């Protein structure tokens, strides 16, 4: 999240909490439930340069949120149950469904024991190339390149550009700038090409991130054996789907489902779009997911789930448990729907 937007969001959260306004807004904005997004759950690192920190929370914080949810009236349910409630229009209480993207090993190591302890069902959306050890976690490669170098060379539009990144402030600025460029490139091929070149030039082994951080098929199958666990699809190569052709989108969704079925013996019914914001997945992707028969597909558009999402089950919003907001009171406000309601300027559906 960019600086200004982030600060506004944070201020909005604080304001809502201290005013108690979220209690007033709850009946209006709480919807029928919420789907939570997590990436990493792991002990904190000390490094000051952690541009991807918003993608992780600590096990301690995660357990506090889960304990609080267990004590609340919210019903912790699987994505199959979300689908059932939405299609049967049966809402016996407000639901919360916990989801993890990408298939990191820390999901197994740190999050799973907590979810097991409180008997909470959850979904892991697996990018199959990560489990196959050939995926490119390019945002982490970029972080490593910037962290390990004081000067970075990058070819932009055919000419070499150099960036100084000696201290943490410069590193943050350079990371943000290059990240923004990458996201603005027209095609996924250009994005991958630029990152590969950057990684090669600065001797960062991109393939190593999969082996270091992601579950292999053996670990995934251990997890999948637990009835609490749903394995969902998250494409093969984790591309920004809006940057690839329609044919490629279909192949990414369909092939990931087949690979998971071959490896784990179960065909995923649920999908998460990589990156998942409006610039990464839109109506074209929502249509393809529905067409391919996925029961549900989740975005990272912030929001709680309303009855009206029953007609948009492949465009569901989620609420991110964000590493930059690790205080229990933030989670409380977020889950009330008040914060994301403000974020969406009180529009309930964001499906266009
Ligand atoms: Zn992902």
């Amino acid at each position: 999240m960019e600086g200004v937007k982030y600060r506004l969001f944070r201020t909005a959260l604080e304001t809502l909490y201290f005013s108690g306004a979220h209690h007033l807004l709850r009946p209006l904005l709480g919807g029928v439930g919420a789907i939570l997004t997590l990436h990493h759950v792991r002990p904190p690192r000390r490094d000051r340069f952690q541009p991807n920190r918003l993608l992780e929370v600590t096990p301690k914080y995660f357990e506090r949120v889960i304990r609080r949810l267990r004590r609340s009236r919210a019903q912790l349910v699987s994505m199959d149950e979300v689908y059932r409630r939405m299609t049967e229009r049966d809402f016996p209480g407000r639901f919360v469904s916990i989801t993890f993207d990408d298939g990191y090993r820390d999901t197994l190591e740190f999050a799973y024991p907590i979810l097991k302890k409180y008997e909470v069902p959850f979904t892991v959306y697996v990018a199959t190339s990560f489990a196959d050890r050939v995926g490119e976690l390019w945002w982490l490669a970029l972080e490593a390149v910037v962290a390990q170098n004081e000067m970075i060379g990058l070819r932009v539009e055919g000419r070499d550009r150099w960036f100084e990144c000696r201290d943490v402030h410069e590193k943050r600025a350079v990371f943000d700038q290059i990240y923004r460029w990458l996201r603005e490139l027209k095609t996924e091929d250009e994005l991958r090409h630029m990152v590969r070149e950057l990684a090669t030039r600065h001797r960062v082994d991109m393939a190593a991130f999969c082996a270091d951080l992601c579950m292999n098929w053996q670990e995934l199958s251990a997890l999948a054996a637990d009835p609490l666990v749903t394995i969902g699809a998250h494409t093969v190569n984790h591309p920004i789907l809006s940057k690839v052709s329609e044919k490629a989108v279909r192949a990414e969704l369909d092939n990931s489902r087949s690979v998971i079925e071959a490896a784990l013996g179960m065909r995923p019914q649920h999908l998460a779009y990589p990156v998942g914001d409006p610039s990464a997945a839109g109506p074209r992707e929502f249509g393809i997911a529905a067409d391919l028969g996925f029961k549900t597909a989740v975005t990272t558009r912030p929001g709680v789930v309303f009855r009206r999402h029953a007609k948009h089950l492949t465009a569901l919003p989620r609420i991110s448990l964000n590493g930059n907001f690790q205080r229990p009171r933030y989670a409380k406000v977020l889950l009330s729907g008040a914060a994301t309601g403000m974020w969406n300027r009180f529009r309930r559906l964001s499906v266009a």
Side-chain angles (χ1 to χ4, degrees):
M1 209 179 292
E2 345 139 23
V4 178
K5 220 172 171 188
Y6 167 79
R7 276 194 297 278
L8 279 174
F9 192 41
R10 182 170 202 138
T11 310
L13 286 173
E14 294 277 11
T15 312
L16 280 168
Y17 180 78
F18 289 117
S19 70
H22 62 287
H23 290 303
L24 297 173
L25 293 169
R26 192 176 177 129
L28 183 68
L29 298 161
V32 292
I35 305 167
L36 285 188
T37 315
L38 288 120
H39 286 84
H40 294 285
V41 176
R42 63 185 177 193
R45 291 179 292 158
R46 294 231 173 275
D47 319 49
R48 288 185 60 218
F49 176 63
Q50 291 190 51
N52 292 303
R53 185 166 173 266
L54 75 168
L55 299 177
E56 65 184 87
V57 297
T58 64
K60 203 172 147 196
Y61 173 74
F62 183 63
E63 179 158 8
R64 270 199 310 214
V65 172
I66 294 298
R67 196 189 310 126
R68 201 171 266 216
L69 280 170
R70 260 293 172 237
R71 287 184 189 153
S72 76
R73 280 202 302 260
Q75 298 166 345
L76 290 154
V77 306
S78 66
M79 285 309 293
D80 270 339
E81 174 63 9
V82 171
Y83 174 77
R84 190 198 66 76
R85 290 180 182 209
M86 296 304 287
T87 48
E88 295 177 11
R89 305 286 204 278
D90 176 23
F91 303 109
R94 208 159 169 268
F95 67 76
V96 173
S97 192
I98 310 278
T99 69
F100 296 84
D101 283 9
D102 301 335
Y104 295 112
R105 184 171 294 119
D106 55 58
T107 303
L108 177 65
E109 195 178 344
F110 296 107
Y112 178 51
I114 295 167
L115 293 158
K116 188 79 184 158
K117 178 172 160 191
Y118 295 89
E119 289 179 65
V120 178
F122 63 101
T123 301
V124 183
Y125 297 108
V126 175
T128 58
S129 66
F130 297 173
D132 280 333
R133 301 294 182 251
V134 292
E136 294 176 318
L137 294 110
W138 60 263
W139 56 99
L140 299 181
L142 176 60
E143 177 177 333
V145 166
V146 176
Q148 292 162 19
N149 294 279
E150 300 205 320
M151 185 76 102
I152 288 173
L154 179 65
R155 229 174 153 68
V156 184
E157 284 157 5
R159 65 191 182 93
D160 268 339
R161 298 268 309 256
W162 291 91
F163 302 89
E164 275 186 37
C165 42
R166 295 182 200 288
D167 59 37
V168 72
H169 296 285
E170 286 178 350
K171 285 185 191 298
R172 280 181 195 146
V174 169
F175 179 91
D176 284 350
Q177 185 170 9
I178 300 178
Y179 183 86
R180 207 171 320 126
W181 270 340
L182 291 167
R183 290 292 306 271
E184 282 168 3
L185 290 170
K186 286 259 172 340
T187 68
E188 184 73 12
D189 279 347
E190 290 173 272
L191 187 162
R192 297 293 173 112
H193 185 80
M194 205 182 213
V195 178
R196 274 176 215 145
E197 193 181 276
L198 201 60
T200 310
R201 199 192 270 216
H202 298 281
R203 298 195 173 82
V204 165
D205 177 8
M206 200 146 33
F209 291 104
C210 287
D212 285 352
L213 296 171
C214 300
M215 285 183 274
N216 58 32
W217 290 110
Q218 214 174 351
E219 291 164 314
L220 282 165
S221 95
L223 199 57
D226 191 319
L228 286 175
V229 180
T230 301
I231 301 290
H234 193 43
T235 75
V236 174
N237 297 302
H238 204 273
I240 294 172
L241 291 171
S242 61
K243 294 187 191 294
V244 304
S245 70
E246 176 168 349
K247 203 175 146 206
V249 175
R250 283 185 180 274
E252 282 284 349
L253 302 194
D254 203 26
N255 294 345
S256 68
R257 196 164 53 173
S258 305
V259 172
I260 291 170
E261 188 178 13
L264 303 178
M266 52 173 74
R267 194 163 173 81
Q269 312 283 328
H270 305 275
L271 168 76
Y273 305 102
V275 183
D277 64 23
S279 75
R284 182 185 69 164
E285 288 70 34
F286 305 157
I288 294 172
D291 198 37
L292 290 174
F294 284 101
K295 286 180 175 171
T296 70
V298 292
T299 65
T300 55
R301 298 178 187 222
V304 296
V305 179
F306 292 100
R307 278 167 190 273
R308 275 189 282 168
H309 280 109
K311 288 202 171 76
H312 305 278
L313 288 178
T314 55
L316 293 173
R318 288 189 290 177
I319 288 170
S320 178
L321 269 198
N322 181 317
N324 289 327
F325 302 111
Q326 290 190 63
R327 294 190 196 157
R329 65 169 188 266
Y330 289 143
K332 194 172 159 193
V333 177
L334 281 168
L335 287 168
S336 79
T340 51
M342 283 183 73
W343 180 261
N344 293 327
R345 300 210 185 91
F346 300 100
R347 269 182 305 127
R348 289 187 174 201
L349 293 189
S350 167
V351 294

